[in-house]
Amino acid sequence: MLALVANRSVRPYLLLVIIAVALWIFDRGRGQFFTTATAFSVLQQFATIGPIALGLGLSMIIREFDLSVGGMLSLSGCIAVLTGAHYPALGVALAVLCGLVWGAFQGTMMVWLRLGSIGVTLGGLLTLGGLAYVVTGNLSISYPRMDVALAVNNPVLHVFSLRSLVALAAFLAAAFFMARTRAGRDVYATGSDRRAAMVAGVRTAAILPAVFACSGMLAALGGALLSYSLAAASGVALTDALVPATASAIIGGVSLTGGKGTPIGIVGGVLVLCLLSAGLNAIGTPPAVQDVVTGGVLLAVAIADAVDLDPRLFAMRRYWAEMFVRPAESVRSADTSAAE
Amino acid sequence: MTDQVLPTALRYPWRVPLPHSRRGRTLVAIRVAALLALIAIAAATPGFFTAVSLFSLLNTTSFIGCVAVGMTFITLSGNIMSFALSVTLSTSGIVFMAVLPWGLPIAFLVALAFGAGLTGIQGVAVGYFRANPVIVSMAALALITGGATLITQGQGVYPQGDAAAALKGRLLGIPMPLAAFILTVVLAQIVLSFTRFGRQLYMVGSNWRAALAAGLDPARIVLGAYIVAGLCTALAGILMAARYSSGDLELGLGYDYSAISAVLVGGTAISGGEGSAIRSLVGAFLIAVCQVLLLLHGFSTQIQYLAIGVIVLFVIMLQTLADAD
């Protein structure tokens, strides 16, 4: 049981169960939460945040951070809406291709010019955001194919939709790839210790562009399908998706220090966030509460993962002991530790 | 004796300190070439030097400039950027407007303290616990946005009367925001160049462990950098609220990106430890010049967004040249 709790990828599911039970207790037989409608709306939200969270999570697993996903989300939506009027699949394909090319470009620049990922992807975020404004002419453009919009969102098997099924398929593929292939192992190795991985023969210079290309593709896929489902696209987006995506990757067990976390864990993290928001909505709390909860979780995890947390806590405990508890004894122990 | 006391730059002001490495000099050459090209384009653009004076250009950048100076401290301290300065600006403006009935000086001080407090909490997390600065700022963005929306019910604050009129006037013939911006840049540069805190900030930003080994307290210095960032941002928030006579959560929308663009275009290194407040002033000014030039040549707003994005990306890529020494 303890091993289960300690497993980073299982933790989000435990959290999910706890939230579900809490909602059930709150609901108390009115049957408002546990309907197929709630499950459907949770999965629809999952389809929006999931792909971005997966891409971001992959970049965090190699100890980088892809800020550009927000820009890619809006640009790919615009590309898909503009080119997919006749052949919707073509629009998605072009958007994903754009994500692939841009992600690979960013990764290559990082390797080639030895730059940090945050700087390059910050430039990418601003450039992609600008491009999205340019291709739409600074307007909100509508997608003429309502049939596609409906097809993307129509319930399949009561709770799924085409959009959420695509997102789930992407997660399954990523989970298989990360757990069962050599390249997946190499990705983890790159994230835990890049130099050691390089010495061990991992081609880290190829892993970086590949992971960023995946991240770009996933963001583009999510953006294209989201714009189809909304039947509209515009240049305005940027960080709106970034914060929930980061939060769900972190809740899903991805470590900020790299090398830890799985796609299955990220699924759990996204579901936790979506269920929480659906539950809070159903209770009738304002949407701002969800911001506060997301922010609180992010801050807590950031501090829990912080480099100097343990020494600071130790120093604080010691200070506490010296000041208030047993002054004489703690001073003596401080002396002996100094002598060592 | 004076030879040893005065820094080289003051003893030989005509000597331009060029980097020693070849790549570093290439970087300087590219920067100078880009500047000359910009001046040439500006000179070739009819109406640039007549219709748009330097002064009014600076005037338009004063709000973003204040935030950029604050962001400079965070970037210099090695913590890249903060996503939460825009909401700090908006909420400081709201606090200022809410406290204004008690008098202008009190409102001014309370708003400044509020902004410094908001960023100071992030500074504790980033400095003392060494939490990831980007994640901390994202968390702060969500927390402050959510909290402020809950408290204000999403409504703006519109005070009765015009107690903030003094902040809308002119100081020695200069519009108040611009005067505040110039004052901020000068003060920030003095702090960076001539105080112990400033020099220590550079050291912490370029190498945390070396600073620790040299006996500094890097955590306290990072906290200081965040507090300064909060003060600058709150100042911008106060002036914006005074100008629009309202405190509103929309006030600072998108300012994080404008500010970090100005910081990076000015040539401050995103890895920390190199840069200055004056560079951020130059960066904000250059971006404004580019925008005006594009506008005068008939390009639309969306092209301006794209151009700024491409310039920032290019500038970040160029910084690899500076790391060669």
Side-chain angles (χ1 to χ4, degrees):
Chain A
M1 188 63 206
L2 258 175
L4 258 170
V5 177
N7 186 335
R8 298 183 79 99
S9 300
V10 177
R11 254 184 280 171
Y13 291 97
L14 293 177
L15 202 55
L16 201 62
V17 170
I18 294 170
I19 293 173
V21 169
L23 286 175
W24 179 72
I25 291 171
F26 194 86
D27 189 37
R28 209 176 280 269
R30 272 175 296 169
Q32 281 175 334
F33 293 145
F34 291 93
T35 56
T36 48
T38 313
F40 179 73
S41 81
V42 165
L43 282 169
Q44 283 299 93
Q45 238 191 326
F46 170 82
T48 306
I49 304 176
I52 317 166
L54 178 58
L56 241 159
L58 287 178
S59 75
M60 282 158 76
I61 288 176
I62 60 164
R63 214 179 171 178
E64 303 285 351
F65 197 83
D66 192 354
L67 279 177
S68 69
V69 286
M72 182 49 76
L73 188 73
S74 53
L75 177 64
S76 61
C78 300
I79 290 177
V81 164
L82 286 173
T83 58
H86 290 296
Y87 304 101
L90 177 74
V92 176
L94 279 176
V96 171
L97 183 71
C98 168
L100 171 86
V101 170
W102 185 264
F105 166 73
Q106 289 186 142
T108 313
M109 283 300 133
M110 286 166 216
V111 173
W112 192 41
L113 299 176
R114 293 183 193 174
L115 289 167
S117 55
I118 292 193
V120 174
T121 54
L122 176 67
L125 173 69
L126 295 173
T127 308
L128 292 174
L131 267 179
Y133 280 115
V134 170
V135 294
T136 56
N138 210 358
L139 298 168
S140 178
I141 47 174
S142 63
Y143 185 56
R145 295 278 297 270
M146 278 319 282
D147 56 323
V148 176
L150 288 175
V152 169
N153 280 336
N154 258 347
V156 181
L157 298 174
H158 298 296
V159 291
F160 297 105
S161 69
L162 186 61
R163 215 151 65 86
S164 54
L165 283 176
V166 168
L168 280 172
F171 270 102
L172 282 180
F176 173 80
F177 180 80
M178 293 296 278
R180 295 272 169 236
T181 66
R182 183 179 165 175
R185 296 274 147 200
D186 286 355
V187 170
Y188 282 116
T190 309
S192 0
D193 191 332
R194 188 159 306 172
R195 281 194 186 188
M198 211 185 289
V199 170
V202 175
R203 292 179 58 202
T204 50
I207 298 274
L208 212 67
V211 167
F212 275 90
C214 283
S215 166
M217 270 160 59
L218 285 164
L221 183 68
L225 291 180
L226 178 64
S227 291
Y228 277 174
S229 83
L230 298 172
S234 75
V236 193
L238 295 176
T239 40
D240 293 359
L242 203 57
V243 174
T246 312
S248 39
I250 285 179
I251 297 171
V254 178
S255 163
L256 294 173
T257 47
K260 287 192 186 119
T262 60
I264 296 295
I266 301 175
V267 174
V270 181
L271 284 178
V272 164
L273 217 58
C274 295
L275 186 66
L276 204 61
S277 101
L280 289 174
N281 261 338
I283 299 171
T285 50
V289 172
Q290 206 193 323
D291 275 343
V292 174
V293 172
T294 315
V297 169
L298 259 183
L299 189 65
V301 175
I303 291 180
D305 259 5
V307 184
D308 271 2
L309 180 67
D310 287 345
R312 288 288 171 200
L313 286 183
F314 179 73
M316 263 156 34
R317 267 203 297 273
R318 186 151 166 185
Y319 179 77
W320 184 259
E322 281 181 17
M323 289 300 285
F324 303 109
V325 189
R326 277 182 294 180
E329 190 177 323
S330 55
V331 167
R332 205 172 61 227
S333 72
D335 283 345
T336 52
S337 67
E340 283 163 21
Chain B
M1 185 63 203
T2 42
D3 273 14
Q4 283 160 7
V5 172
L6 283 174
T8 324
L10 290 182
R11 268 188 290 154
Y12 311 106
W14 56 89
R15 277 194 196 169
V16 179
L18 272 178
H20 295 294
S21 74
R22 223 173 126 187
R23 295 171 74 186
R25 288 186 192 205
T26 318
L27 180 64
V28 172
I30 292 173
R31 279 182 185 155
V32 170
L35 261 184
L36 288 178
L38 197 65
I39 293 171
I41 296 172
T45 305
F48 181 79
F49 284 109
T50 53
V52 184
S53 72
L54 237 86
F55 225 58
S56 64
L57 244 182
L58 265 177
N59 208 356
T60 58
T61 57
S62 42
F63 295 127
I64 290 174
C66 275
V67 183
V69 170
M71 190 75 90
T72 312
F73 278 80
I74 293 179
T75 311
L76 276 178
S77 72
N79 291 308
I80 306 164
M81 70 174 288
S82 168
F83 283 108
L85 290 190
S86 56
V87 281
T88 307
L89 187 151
S90 314
T91 45
S92 306
I94 293 176
V95 166
F96 174 71
M97 278 303 171
V99 185
L100 203 52
W102 279 283
L104 184 60
I106 292 178
F108 192 79
L109 290 178
V110 167
L112 279 185
F114 178 79
L118 281 187
T119 52
I121 294 167
Q122 298 165 56
V124 169
V126 172
Y128 283 89
F129 296 117
R130 293 193 72 191
N132 185 316
V134 173
I135 307 286
V136 167
S137 75
M138 277 184 192
L141 169 68
L143 276 173
I144 300 172
T145 312
T149 314
L150 284 180
I151 292 169
T152 63
Q153 303 293 325
Q155 305 284 313
V157 180
Y158 305 95
Q160 305 295 317
D162 208 7
L167 293 181
K168 282 199 260 186
R170 287 166 174 268
L171 190 75
L172 307 173
I174 308 170
M176 207 56 177
L178 180 57
F181 174 38
I182 292 172
L183 202 68
T184 310
V185 171
V186 171
L187 276 179
Q189 193 57 48
I190 288 174
V191 166
L192 284 176
S193 305
F194 299 111
T195 67
R196 186 192 283 188
F197 166 68
R199 305 318 296 173
Q200 289 180 343
L201 184 65
Y202 281 100
M203 189 160 181
V204 170
S206 53
N207 194 333
W208 176 288
R209 292 178 66 175
L212 195 64
L216 308 186
D217 184 356
R220 213 188 48 192
I221 295 158
V222 167
L223 173 61
Y226 271 85
I227 288 177
V228 172
L231 288 175
C232 295
T233 310
L235 181 65
I238 291 167
L239 292 169
M240 267 182 103
R243 175 188 252 191
Y244 298 117
S245 298
S246 73
D248 198 300
L249 264 181
E250 308 272 295
L251 223 51
L253 218 62
Y255 267 40
D256 302 310
Y257 297 103
S258 312
I260 190 70
S261 304
V263 170
L264 294 175
V265 168
T268 294
I270 197 164
S271 47
E274 200 209 322
S276 68
I278 289 179
R279 284 195 192 188
S280 299
L281 165 85
V282 172
F285 187 61
L286 285 180
I287 288 179
V289 168
C290 288
Q291 280 176 329
V292 169
L293 284 179
L294 287 170
L295 200 69
L296 285 177
H297 281 280
F299 290 103
S300 48
T301 344
Q302 52 266 31
I303 295 284
Q304 295 174 21
Y305 289 128
L306 178 62
I308 293 168
V310 171
I311 291 171
V312 170
L313 188 63
F314 191 65
V315 164
I316 289 170
M317 287 184 183
L318 273 185
Q319 284 186 354
T320 188
L321 293 171
D323 295 336
D325 314 300

